[in-house]
Amino acid sequence: MVYSKRNDGRKFEEMRKMEAKVGVVKSADGSAMFKIGDTIAIAAVRGPRDLHPKFMQNPQKGILRCNYNMMSFSVDERIRPGPSRRSREISLVTRNALLPAVNLDEFPNAVVDVFVEIQQADAGTRCAGICAASMALADAGIPMKDLICAISIGRVGGKVLVDLDKFEEDYEEGSTDMPVAMLPRKAEVSLLQLDGEIKPEEIDKALELAKKSCQEILEIQKKALKEKYQNE
Ligand code: UDP
């Protein structure tokens, strides 16, 4: 069946409402919150600091580590605490999405830790986590060549659309979820995953939508960063 109207009334090219805030975790070197619809991600950065054990150190440059976690109350059904296959995968793709923007050449033997906690989940948590993490890295003063923006492009009932919510991810006739992260300045893609099917001719449209959406996300990220530093 054709998905002619979105469940929550959004246009096919419209993202959910977004909010961002920088400096939400006082004990961290940098932190940020990114909310998209009912999905809320909090990211905290610690470092650069000496990496222990020492044999893991890289004398050429610092190391980036990422840890993604869904809080046990982030969805109706309690999430079992501790790492899972899914959280390990998302930690890995988060790191890979951030790395092309981050320059740790000045920090040999050091580590920068990024902790992403999902406080509320309604689909798109890896994208919200990446958006929050990139702002938290900037807040921590880590040298970066760009921010990183991420959004999920979907295909539901034959329609290509932006930012699936949980209803759309679980669409009974099946759906496709394609999370994309970009360094927006040059539209450099640093993450592209595909869960489901998409026609080759639809990929260009999907990437074009991702590029346009990432520009909107970038403005929200920049505004939140400026807000923190204007108030200090
Ligand atoms: N989800 C859940 N329980 C879990 C994992 C995920 O309810 O253990 C929900 C949550 O709302 C999440 C959504 O399923 O946002 C989609 O998860 P997916 O693995 O596709 O990653 P995401 O879209 O969050 O990046």
Side-chain angles (χ1 to χ4, degrees), residues 15 18 34 36 93-94 97-98 100-101 124 126-135 144 146-153 178-192 207 209-222 225:
M15 292 183 284
M18 291 174 279
F34 195 88
I36 184 154
V93 299
T94 299
L98 298 171
R126 76 195 62 205
C127 293
I130 291 166
C131 292
S134 110
M135 294 159 71
M144 293 164 80
D146 205 348
L147 283 166
I148 302 105
C149 312
I151 192 70
S152 194
I153 308 296
M178 192 175 103
V180 180
M182 273 187 191
L183 282 63
R185 201 191 302 260
K186 292 188 181 159
E188 184 182 333
V189 175
S190 64
L191 167 78
L192 201 157
L207 285 174
L209 281 175
K211 193 171 154 186
K212 185 175 154 277
S213 307
C214 283
Q215 290 299 331
E216 283 178 44
I217 292 172
L218 175 67
E219 292 311 312
I220 288 170
Q221 290 174 309
K222 285 201 298 200
L225 281 158

Side-chain angles (χ1 to χ4, degrees), residues 6-169:
R6 291 182 88 167
N7 185 50
D8 62 3
R10 269 184 292 152
K11 298 189 190 105
F12 291 108
E13 292 166 22
E14 189 180 342
M15 292 183 284
R16 291 173 285 178
K17 195 169 165 286
M18 291 174 279
E19 280 171 42
K21 194 168 167 37
V22 173
V24 294
V25 179
K26 298 290 168 235
S27 59
D29 295 309
S31 63
M33 180 280 299
F34 195 88
K35 179 173 191 284
I36 184 154
D38 289 331
T39 291
I40 305 176
I42 294 167
V45 169
R46 286 256 164 85
R49 55 185 177 176
D50 278 351
L51 175 59
H52 295 286
K54 278 195 163 177
F55 74 86
M56 289 175 73
Q57 292 181 351
N58 180 347
Q60 311 299 330
K61 60 178 191 171
I63 285 171
L64 184 72
R65 287 194 301 210
C66 293
N67 190 72
Y68 163 102
N69 180 57
M70 271 174 73
M71 293 182 180
S72 46
F73 51 79
S74 57
V75 284
D76 290 342
E77 229 168 82
R78 178 178 173 269
I79 302 282
R80 270 180 67 178
S84 62
R85 204 177 136 160
R86 176 177 174 276
S87 69
R88 282 196 200 96
E89 178 227 313
I90 300 182
S91 300
L92 177 82
V93 299
T94 299
R95 178 173 181 271
N96 289 347
L98 298 171
L99 262 181
V102 174
N103 181 355
L104 298 180
D105 290 353
E106 287 172 40
F107 311 108
N109 303 322
V111 62
V112 173
D113 277 304
V114 179
F115 303 97
V116 174
E117 293 287 334
I118 305 301
Q119 189 181 329
Q120 248 176 230
D122 183 48
T125 62
R126 76 195 62 205
C127 293
I130 291 166
C131 292
S134 110
M135 294 159 71
L137 285 164
D139 184 36
I142 305 297
M144 293 164 80
K145 69 173 184 185
D146 205 348
L147 283 166
I148 302 105
C149 312
I151 192 70
S152 194
I153 308 296
R155 187 175 183 272
V156 180
K159 290 271 185 193
V160 174
L161 45 81
V162 174
D163 184 26
L164 300 100
D165 60 15
K166 187 77 174 111
F167 172 86
E168 291 174 335
E169 274 215 12

